[in-house]
Amino acid sequence: MAMIRSSFVQIRGPWPDAAFGGDDVDEDDVESLSERASAQQRAKDKSRRNFSELLEVILDPALKGGAAALALSLAHFLTDRIRPETHEVQSWVRRILRQISDLSSPESDMTVATALLYHGTLQEGSSPIMSRRFLLKRGVDLNELNLDPDCIPAFIEVLNPQVDLVAELHRAQIAVTIGEQIHYYLEAATGRGPDDGFDSLKRSPHWPRLLRALHNPNDFAKISVVEETAGLCPRRHILLPSAKRSALKSEGVAVCDCCGRVILNKDC
């Protein structure tokens, strides 16, 4: 398995262009080059189809992402060799990153670099916070992270040639996720931390209630805290309206319509 993995991390560059024949080709050569170019394109299309089918197998939810990191190596190898369209490579990367749950595999360097590239510059709503959240959820200490910015040259070439991964890592290191801010708020409310470090909550329309709860144990007892976004009222287990579920997922705070309590989502 180690030999298989290593074969897919070697940078080999795109396949030679069969249509390139120089300036002194005659008519017969032009026809021959055209045929070879068509055959090469068919081979590339077949490679893309085969990889898409393989990806369906590798990313089967029943496998729980066990081979997702290896799929990332395969995707980079194929990107390096045939240079697919940007949208196709981005789709591969998005699907694979979602399945990677930890960074214990030999492809961890590639996963970190790809996460910074995708979450920091490509995903809708991209930001250093997205990168930081991805890495923190997978147990990465960003301050101890050793980044290899040169391990995904094909992804960078196809997806974002201007990216500076070292700068993206720095931005992720100094960012603060909503989940971290909620942690700081809960620490402050229980007397274990300073009243600081949760500026996003202070800008929330729910801040007046959160502020009262910060200094009043009775008000604090009326706040519900969830470990992850379930979309349900934590007290009555009733499905929250879609707008509240969205706010809880993106902003980390919402008010439940059925019980009137403020809900804080630590997984944000």
Side-chain angles (χ1 to χ4, degrees):
M1 180 61 74
M3 293 179 63
I4 295 175
R5 288 178 184 271
S6 66
S7 68
F8 286 112
V9 297
Q10 297 174 13
I11 306 304
R12 303 181 182 182
W15 284 333
D17 189 351
F20 181 75
D23 297 327
D24 56 348
V25 292
D26 56 30
E27 293 183 3
D28 292 337
D29 288 335
V30 169
E31 183 176 353
S32 177
L33 287 172
S34 177
E35 291 175 355
R36 291 203 300 271
S38 296
Q40 185 183 70
Q41 185 59 50
R42 288 194 298 272
K44 289 182 178 182
D45 291 342
K46 183 177 180 180
S47 295
R48 291 167 45 246
R49 289 194 303 272
N50 289 344
F51 179 69
S52 295
E53 293 174 3
L54 178 62
L55 205 56
E56 293 296 328
V57 176
I58 294 177
L59 300 184
D60 187 326
L63 299 179
K64 299 181 179 180
L70 179 57
L72 192 65
S73 283
L74 295 173
H76 186 266
F77 176 83
L78 195 60
T79 301
D80 180 45
R81 297 297 276 161
I82 69 173
R83 292 298 196 266
E85 294 293 330
T86 298
H87 67 87
E88 186 169 26
V89 178
Q90 188 165 335
S91 175
W92 295 343
V93 167
R94 180 181 66 253
R95 294 180 61 199
I96 294 169
L97 287 179
R98 287 176 178 173
Q99 290 272 5
I100 296 177
S101 58
D102 65 70
L103 275 73
S104 60
S105 73
E107 295 85 8
S108 59
D109 288 349
M110 179 175 287
T111 300
V112 168
T114 305
L116 291 170
L117 170 66
Y118 178 72
H119 290 296
T121 69
L122 297 174
Q123 185 180 14
E124 183 177 354
S126 295
S127 72
I129 289 178
M130 299 291 289
S131 298
R132 181 178 181 87
R133 184 171 180 268
F134 175 90
L135 295 171
L136 288 177
K137 289 193 67 175
R138 287 150 183 84
V140 176
D141 183 344
L142 276 79
N143 294 320
E144 299 294 329
L145 187 61
N146 293 316
L147 172 68
D148 179 3
D150 299 320
C151 68
I152 54 167
F155 281 163
I156 291 175
E157 178 67 25
V158 172
L159 298 176
N160 187 354
Q162 287 76 42
V163 71
D164 181 343
L165 290 184
V166 174
E168 288 301 323
L169 174 59
H170 177 68
R171 283 191 278 269
Q173 287 171 328
I174 62 176
V176 183
T177 68
I178 299 296
E180 289 177 297
Q181 294 187 48
I182 288 173
H183 170 76
Y184 298 146
Y185 171 83
L186 296 174
E187 290 288 292
T190 53
R192 297 193 296 267
D195 294 0
D196 194 20
F198 33 89
D199 291 345
S200 293
L201 293 181
K202 292 179 180 179
R203 294 191 293 269
S204 166
H206 309 299
W207 176 243
R209 292 182 63 177
L210 292 171
L211 178 60
R212 290 195 300 271
L214 191 61
H215 303 293
N216 187 318
N218 291 329
D219 287 326
F220 181 72
K222 298 175 183 177
I223 290 180
S224 296
V225 181
V226 296
E227 296 293 330
E228 60 184 12
T229 307
L232 301 174
C233 168
R235 294 189 71 206
R236 301 183 180 178
H237 306 290
I238 297 174
L239 184 66
L240 297 172
S242 60
K244 298 298 177 72
R245 296 198 304 270
S246 177
L248 203 56
K249 184 176 181 180
S250 62
E251 302 167 20
V253 57
V255 172
C256 178
D257 291 338
C258 66
C259 70
R261 287 193 172 213
V262 172
I263 305 173
L264 294 178
N265 174 28
K266 294 169 71 175
D267 182 30
C268 187

